[in-house]
Amino acid sequence: MHDLLPHISVQLTNVFGSIPYFMPEIYLTGLFLVVLITDLIFGRRSVKLCKIIACTGLLLVLFKDLQQVALILDGDHVIFGSMLLLRRSAVFFKIITDLLSSILLLNFTWDDKLKAHPKGLSDLYTISIASILGLHLMAMAINLLSVYLAIEMVSIASYLMVAYRSETALSTEAGLKYVLFGAASSAVMLYGISLLYGFSGSLDLPGIVAQLPNVNPVSASFALVLVMIGIGFKLSFMPMHFWVPDVYQGAPTPVTAYLSTVPKIAAFALLVNVMPLFLFSADRKGIDFSIVLSAIGIVTMIAGNFAAVLQSNVKRMLAYSSIGHTGFALMAVVTFNVQGLSSLTYYLAVYALANIGALALASYFSNVVDAEDVENYKGLGLKYPAASVCFVIILISLTGIPVTAGFTGKLFVFSAAYSAYEQTRSIWLLSLMITGAITTVVSLFYYLKIPLYLFLKRTENAEVASERSYNLLVLAIIISFLLVLLGIFPNSILKYL
């Protein structure tokens, strides 16, 4: 017993010393409890109050994130006994996550069917805050135990959000598929983690990396593939993408906007954290995961973009396009350099902003004219010019056409990949760049399909937009302005990354 006391004292000192670097997450925990208790006390009447508390609290968390920028000036900080790592990339990923989450929480009521839910939206705000806490942990996790717990925390919250409209068959089916795919990938990842622990005797990434050269190459590669499958589920790259179209189509549109952006950003942050596991070195044998990730990126870009061309439902088309964007973002990851990480952060931020705008406008047209498919957009460009012009700008950004932020984001990713190619002369990097260029052209065929129907097709419909959808129009206008502004002045963000 006496031998344990010094050890406990050291652990307590480490915990208390880590708290100043964990303040945003502590605030999120408190915010979750406040929103939950408010919902329990006031029930359905608490929707507006929960929204105000959640959004105000999240802005406070964002402020604490910004304060952490000063903490990382003197270097990285390993906290809670090597469970989490606070570093530059993690802080910026958290800032982007909280900023986008604030926008989404403010507009969770944009979907009329979700707004009319008999349970109200109070539970949804509670679940969202818990999910955001998990996203913060994903951005900082450097221990396989914290990696697994963070992923599960986000996944369970996501299951609940997808199936929130349980009275509709489509939403229930989407939730069931999401749970089944998520449970399977979680079990596979946990098995891989257990193998790595058995091989190395450690769950810390540095300890595992140090022992991997001494492990049988086939066994080590097999375990790493299993871990990659778990991360791939959150990133939705090939072949872990099958759940995406059905889930995105069946979930309420605000939930689709959330799932297609914020968790994906955190998943890329997690991939960056665990990348040392997959880096190939002279003293290690087995699978070269830089080649694996490159191949996955190529196949994901091809599958996502070509499948999107065949879609008529707008949400389903955007779901497949998000798969294509995941493959493109992997190009920045496989550069394994600082320039690639900076370009990845910028690209994910502008992609997420544009995707939120696209889904907001999809919800806008669904509310005012019940338009779910591209064909339903015939002639609406002249009847709703502001929304339609914003839709065109946002889709141009998603395609990557000047002078939008999407163009500069893709340009920076190509630049990082080409710089890495000049140093390594890797045929895989060259193949990624060629595939990225080709699939960018392919994306024109489905993204510009919407402007084609909006402005060049004619219909006799004469619906007038209801006032309840004006908030979506305002959001779309702001996002369109930001995408053009960031496209013209990208250094306003890049200098901080």
Side-chain angles (χ1 to χ4, degrees), residues 381-462:
L382 300 178
K383 295 182 175 66
Y384 307 103
S388 299
V389 170
C390 289
F391 218 155
V392 173
I393 293 172
I394 288 167
L395 292 173
I396 284 175
S397 182
L398 284 170
T399 306
I401 297 176
V403 292
T404 59
F407 169 75
T408 53
K410 288 197 172 185
L411 180 64
F412 292 142
V413 172
F414 276 123
S415 177
Y418 185 73
S419 296
Y421 170 73
E422 284 188 316
Q423 296 175 1
T424 62
R425 295 295 173 181
S426 168
I427 188 66
W428 289 100
L429 274 173
L430 181 62
S431 301
L432 273 169
M433 289 187 286
I434 293 172
T435 306
I438 293 172
T439 52
T440 296
V441 175
V442 171
S443 68
L444 284 169
F445 288 93
Y446 59 85
Y447 279 136
L448 296 187
K449 192 189 301 183
I450 292 177
L452 173 68
Y453 276 88
L454 283 173
F455 291 102
L456 300 182
K457 301 287 184 178
R458 293 290 180 264
T459 184
E460 299 301 321
N461 292 341

Side-chain angles (χ1 to χ4, degrees), residues 110-111 114 158-165 168-175 178 243-259 315 359 372:
W110 75 35
D111 186 281
L114 182 62
S158 300
Y159 303 153
L160 296 172
M161 293 170 74
V162 169
Y164 196 77
R165 275 172 49 196
T168 66
L170 201 59
S171 182
T172 303
E173 180 186 357
Y178 196 19
W243 59 274
V244 175
D246 292 332
V247 170
Y248 283 17
Q249 183 182 1
T253 308
V255 174
T256 300
Y258 182 87
L259 292 178
K315 286 175 66 177
L359 286 164
E372 300 290 342

Side-chain angles (χ1 to χ4, degrees), residues 360-374:
L361 286 169
S363 187
Y364 174 87
F365 284 112
S366 177
N367 288 346
V368 299
V369 295
D370 198 28
E372 300 290 342
D373 293 341
V374 177

Side-chain angles (χ1 to χ4, degrees), residues 159-217:
Y159 303 153
L160 296 172
M161 293 170 74
V162 169
Y164 196 77
R165 275 172 49 196
S166 55
E167 77 282 0
T168 66
L170 201 59
S171 182
T172 303
E173 180 186 357
L176 181 60
K177 287 181 178 179
Y178 196 19
V179 170
L180 290 176
F181 272 101
S185 63
S186 176
V188 169
M189 183 181 185
L190 190 59
Y191 183 46
I193 290 173
S194 67
L195 289 177
L196 289 177
Y197 178 72
F199 296 151
S200 64
S202 174
L203 290 173
D204 292 332
L205 294 184
I208 296 173
V209 171
Q211 291 297 323
L212 279 180
N214 304 321
V215 180
N216 180 278

